[in-house]
Amino acid sequence: MPEGTGALREVLPKQGQLSVEDTAAMVLCKPKILPLKSVSLEKLEKLQRAALEAAPPPSAGAAPPRQ
């Protein structure tokens, strides 16, 4: 064997069928659970809630300020 000691020699049959049983199979993995809300969306909602709580509510009878 000129390729080396670890090389394999290919053998083909002289008669009959040649079949290959190397088929791809589906491999199932565990499902990944995704959050319904992203971390950045939760932070934005928290900031909006804090801003609404800090802002005084507009009075119903007052006129808007003039410039």
Side-chain angles (χ1 to χ4, degrees), residues 1-9:
M1 285 186 231
E3 292 89 23
T5 58
L8 297 176
R9 196 169 47 105

Side-chain angles (χ1 to χ4, degrees), residues 4-59:
T5 58
L8 297 176
R9 196 169 47 105
E10 185 179 86
V11 177
L12 295 174
K14 302 255 187 255
Q15 57 182 327
Q17 288 185 331
L18 176 65
S19 65
V20 178
E21 296 182 19
D22 195 23
T23 60
M26 298 282 289
V27 177
L28 300 177
C29 60
K30 292 173 64 175
K32 293 178 174 62
I33 298 177
L34 299 174
L36 295 177
K37 291 184 180 180
S38 67
V39 175
S40 57
L41 180 61
E42 288 179 356
K43 286 181 183 178
L44 180 63
E45 288 178 346
K46 184 178 178 182
L47 287 173
Q48 286 177 339
R49 270 188 254 115
L52 287 174
E53 290 173 358
S59 57

